[in-house]
């Protein structure tokens, strides 16, 4: 596709429900990042993949958060037993090279609301 | 650890006036600095980046930023604001090239007054 695609665009979950957020990066991009953006805040790093390898997951807030990129393209961010504090916009970004020093291409995000 | 501070969460300027958005960084090693812009319902887009090649960096849409080590600043400017510049602007830093963690500031919402 022309850009980074994220789905769903909006997700409403009841507290305790599991959710899965999908990211389709630009074809051929090596690096993939997930960020969490709370209302009125800047994006905060969650995790980083280089191809299928998850090289850094230090930003995941708890063990309820899990991300995968099994074939080095599409990535899924899964949140188990959602809590109200998980409400945020989840942004995916990809880059043609290793790391974030090059230009990152961002998707429009998935807005998660936990009731 | 590296970080950036954006002064002013909201800035309003008249159409045609100078735009100045402030960013100060904190890094123990020479930083790489970025400005990203977020239009409503769109993903963040890179405006410009500083990677030590030149202190004055020109970006897209007429924006530029100057790296000032003595002031630890990387302020974003545009000589003449246009209505289409209304958006949220984020300053970001990486402490060394190749680091994966791009650290963002809290953002500045720019409003253009007709």
């Amino acid at each position: 596709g022309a850009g980074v695609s994220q789905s769903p665009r909006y997700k409403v979950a009841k507290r305790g429900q599991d959710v899965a957020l999908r990211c389709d990066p630009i074809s051929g991009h090596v690096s993939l990042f997930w960020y969490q953006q709370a209302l009125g805040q800047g994006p905060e790093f969650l995790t980083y993949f280089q191809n299928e390898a998850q090289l850094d997951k230090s930003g995941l807030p708890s063990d309820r958060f899990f991300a995968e990129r099994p074939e080095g393209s599409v990535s899924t961010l899964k949140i188990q037993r959602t809590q109200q504090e998980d409400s945020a916009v989840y942004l995916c970004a990809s880059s043609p090279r290793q790391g974030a020093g090059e230009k990152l291409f961002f998707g429009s995000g998935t807005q998660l609301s936990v009731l | 650890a590296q970080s950036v501070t954006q002064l002013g969460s909201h800035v309003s300027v008249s159409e045609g006036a100078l735009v100045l958005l402030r960013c100060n960084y904190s890094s123990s090693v020479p930083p790489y600095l970025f400005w990203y812009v977020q239009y409503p319902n769109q993903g963040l887009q890179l405006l410009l980046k500083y990677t030590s090649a030149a202190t004055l960096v020109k970006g897209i849409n007429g924006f530029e930023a100057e790296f000032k080590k003595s002031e630890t600043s990387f302020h974003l400017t545009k000589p003449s604001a246009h209505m289409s510049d209304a958006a949220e602007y984020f300053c970001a830093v990486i402490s060394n090239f190749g680091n994966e963690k791009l650290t963002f500031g809290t953002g500045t919402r720019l409003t253009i007054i007709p």
Side-chain angles (χ1 to χ4, degrees), chain A residues 56-79:
Chain A
D56 189 337
K57 55 181 181 179
S58 62
L60 296 176
S62 76
D63 58 8
R64 296 186 296 102
F65 286 72
F66 172 76
E68 60 182 4
R69 194 186 185 198
E71 297 178 357
S73 55
V74 171
S75 177
T76 304
L77 177 67
K78 298 178 179 178
I79 308 173

Side-chain angles (χ1 to χ4, degrees), chain A residues 12-35:
Chain A
V12 179
K14 292 182 179 179
R15 194 169 65 176
Q17 186 178 355
D18 296 350
V19 298
L21 313 180
R22 177 187 171 102
C23 173
D24 282 86
I26 294 173
S27 178
H29 276 199
V30 169
S31 298
L32 186 145
F33 301 80
W34 284 98
Y35 281 82

Side-chain angles (χ1 to χ4, degrees), chain A residues 38-109:
Chain A
L39 190 63
Q41 300 295 315
E44 300 239 354
F45 172 85
L46 292 177
T47 187
Y48 162 63
F49 290 87
Q50 184 178 322
N51 296 309
E52 69 278 6
Q54 187 174 21
L55 298 187
D56 189 337
K57 55 181 181 179
S58 62
L60 296 176
S62 76
D63 58 8
R64 296 186 296 102
F65 286 72
F66 172 76
E68 60 182 4
R69 194 186 185 198
E71 297 178 357
S73 55
V74 171
S75 177
T76 304
L77 177 67
K78 298 178 179 178
I79 308 173
Q80 297 177 323
R81 304 180 304 281
T82 53
Q83 303 294 315
Q84 283 190 321
E85 61 262 28
D86 300 334
S87 295
V89 176
Y90 290 85
L91 300 171
C92 177
S94 68
S95 175
R97 295 193 177 93
Q98 173 185 340
E102 291 293 329
K103 177 179 179 179
L104 291 187
F105 294 80
F106 281 84
S108 299

